[in-house]
Amino acid sequence: MILYKQDIAKLNDIISSHTKTFLLFDENTEKYCLKIINSIDILKSNTIKIVIPSGEQHKNIKTVQYIWSKLVENGADRKSLLINVGGGVVTDIGGFAASCYQRGIDFINIPTTLLGMIDASVGGKTGIDFQGLKNQIGLFSQPLAVVILFGFLEILPKRELLSGLAEIIKYGFIVDKSFLEAKLQNNLIDPVLIKKAIEVKDEITRLDSTEQGRRKILNFGHTIGHAIETYILDNHEEIRHGETVALGMLPALYLSEKYLNLNHQITLYYKNIYKQKFNRFELDDIPVEDLLEIMRHDKKNEGGDIRFVLISDLEKPVYDIVVNEDDIKDSITYLVDYLRDENYWCK
């Protein structure tokens, strides 16, 4: 169930039907978002706040144990409710903690980032990172509701908005090419466009809740993107999930040309989109072999094969394409060369 600000009465009904309500924040969302949460009047006298450290590096079992300990200490029972207020890290880890506690309690997601609204909070994926691998442990578990409050976007830094924009652009390649025209205007994105992106994600995931078929198309740009994200975060550097998806879509298009005869003009079109809308990164120092080792543990793999989502044309995705490692290396080199090309970037 997707709820917007005008649907808050429904949210209050859900909360009232539970014995206790817990609000999960990270340190950033507690600091910057609590005022907005208070403004919609969902807090009750028995609401209990849990605050966890911010950042992907804390998306692990230790943090989950902390959440469970707070639930136990405060007498959470099977009729309790956990409301996850934050970006993808908070909704992923909060949903996982709720789904395991006493074999499962209800939870609601209130995403506070654009990426969280259109991607992480919708679809029922929960999880934590394990042994340096992103979302390696988790469950498919649907929230009772996802509450979308556009007020959060007004306090987001531009970089966070661009991270979410990357996932919207992704929908342009796999579902509806009109998303390719998405852009920031006055440091905001059109709420109508955001609602449309949420509806796309919700429809695809409802029809394939456990990612056995068509839902896999949502992983376009993620195979190499996730590997880049994991490597950079493991080396204690900073990058956003959406930024790595934006990077990962270019080698995916390169491979789409090789494996599915995608028109090269579409790849050039995306190069121009990337140049206009996203930050430039220097990836020369990333060891390709390290990225391959990360990809060998990707959840989409089967039988030891590294599998990609590619496209044969705009709006024509194909999933479970087995790509050999030499071609993967070539596609990464293609990405690195593009980012290094001073002549192109100075045009």
Side-chain angles (χ1 to χ4, degrees):
M1 183 191 313
I2 310 295
L3 302 178
Y4 296 91
K5 190 170 183 178
Q6 64 268 26
D7 304 314
I8 292 303
K10 294 179 182 178
L11 178 60
N12 284 322
D13 289 342
I14 293 172
I15 293 172
S16 298
S17 67
H18 291 81
T19 55
K20 286 188 178 181
T21 300
F22 293 80
L23 284 168
L24 179 67
F25 296 88
D26 68 17
E27 293 163 339
N28 286 333
T29 53
E30 181 195 28
K31 181 178 180 180
Y32 296 108
C33 302
L34 185 57
K35 183 177 180 180
I36 295 174
I37 292 296
N38 287 339
S39 73
I40 64 172
D41 194 28
I42 66 169
L43 299 180
K44 302 189 301 181
S45 59
N46 66 339
T47 297
I48 299 157
K49 186 168 62 175
I50 303 173
V51 182
I52 59 176
S54 302
E56 183 79 24
Q57 68 271 29
H58 298 292
K59 189 177 167 184
N60 53 39
I61 191 64
K62 182 178 178 180
T63 305
V64 175
Q65 290 173 331
Y66 175 78
I67 296 169
W68 288 332
S69 69
K70 290 299 178 182
L71 292 174
V72 171
E73 288 172 16
N74 290 281
D77 59 26
R78 298 183 76 177
K79 291 296 183 180
S80 294
L81 174 69
L82 182 64
I83 301 178
N84 306 310
V85 184
V89 171
V90 174
T91 58
D92 277 3
I93 200 169
F96 179 70
S99 300
C100 296
Y101 183 78
Q102 294 194 357
R103 297 195 175 94
I105 62 172
D106 290 336
F107 67 97
I108 288 172
N109 290 333
I110 304 183
T112 59
T113 65
L114 177 59
L115 186 65
M117 291 178 185
I118 65 170
D119 184 45
S121 67
V122 179
K125 280 187 176 180
T126 74
I128 57 173
D129 303 340
F130 183 70
Q131 292 189 354
L133 299 171
K134 189 173 173 66
N135 297 323
Q136 192 73 356
I137 307 296
L139 300 166
F140 288 101
S141 183
Q142 293 290 345
L144 282 183
V146 177
V147 182
I148 306 297
L149 301 173
F150 293 118
F152 290 124
L153 301 182
E154 297 174 6
I155 62 174
L156 279 182
K158 183 178 180 181
R159 187 175 180 184
E160 292 291 347
L161 290 168
L162 289 173
S163 178
L165 181 66
E167 288 282 356
I168 293 177
I169 297 296
K170 178 192 76 176
Y171 292 146
F173 285 108
I174 61 174
V175 177
D176 183 343
K177 61 187 177 183
S178 68
F179 282 115
L180 294 173
E181 301 301 320
K183 56 187 175 182
L184 292 177
Q185 292 194 4
N186 300 320
N187 210 32
L188 289 174
I189 294 178
D190 182 3
V192 174
L193 184 69
I194 296 172
K195 286 184 177 181
K196 183 179 177 182
I198 293 169
E199 289 168 2
V200 166
K201 175 74 182 283
D202 186 48
E203 179 180 3
I204 291 172
T205 55
R206 278 191 295 106
L207 295 175
D208 182 14
S209 61
T210 58
E211 203 170 70
Q212 300 302 306
R214 182 169 170 76
R215 180 172 180 160
K216 294 180 181 181
I217 69 173
L218 297 174
N219 291 314
F220 180 70
H222 282 61
T223 303
I224 290 176
H226 268 176
I228 293 171
E229 181 178 7
T230 298
Y231 179 85
I232 289 176
L233 292 173
D234 281 352
N235 285 273
H236 308 291
E237 298 178 40
E238 187 179 11
I239 196 164
R240 306 291 189 272
H241 172 72
E243 291 170 340
T244 62
V245 171
L247 291 168
M249 284 191 281
L250 185 55
L253 291 171
Y254 171 91
L255 293 168
S256 295
E257 291 185 37
K258 186 175 183 65
Y259 282 75
L260 298 177
N261 297 314
L262 177 71
N263 189 324
H264 181 59
Q265 292 303 312
I266 293 176
T267 305
L268 295 178
Y269 178 45
Y270 180 63
K271 283 185 175 182
N272 193 47
I273 289 175
Y274 190 96
K275 178 182 176 182
Q276 291 178 359
K277 298 180 180 180
F278 300 112
N279 295 327
R280 182 180 180 184
F281 289 90
E282 298 294 338
L283 299 180
D284 301 63
D285 296 334
I286 291 186
V288 174
E289 285 298 331
D290 287 5
L291 295 184
L292 278 171
E293 182 58 28
I294 294 168
M295 279 183 263
R296 292 182 187 114
H297 296 279
D298 192 291
K299 297 183 295 299
K300 298 181 291 298
N301 297 346
E302 293 180 21
D305 295 323
I306 300 177
R307 295 174 180 246
F308 278 71
V309 178
L310 305 178
I311 63 170
S312 60
D313 200 350
L314 295 179
E315 305 174 359
K316 294 183 178 180
V318 183
Y319 54 83
D320 284 343
I321 301 291
V322 176
V323 177
N324 72 60
E325 293 191 359
D326 286 339
D327 289 333
I328 295 173
K329 291 178 183 178
D330 289 344
S331 74
I332 295 171
T333 299
Y334 184 79
L335 171 64
V336 171
D337 288 346
Y338 164 70
L339 294 171
R340 190 196 296 129
D341 189 347
E342 293 292 343
N343 292 326
Y344 180 81
W345 284 86
C346 291
K347 287 180 182 178

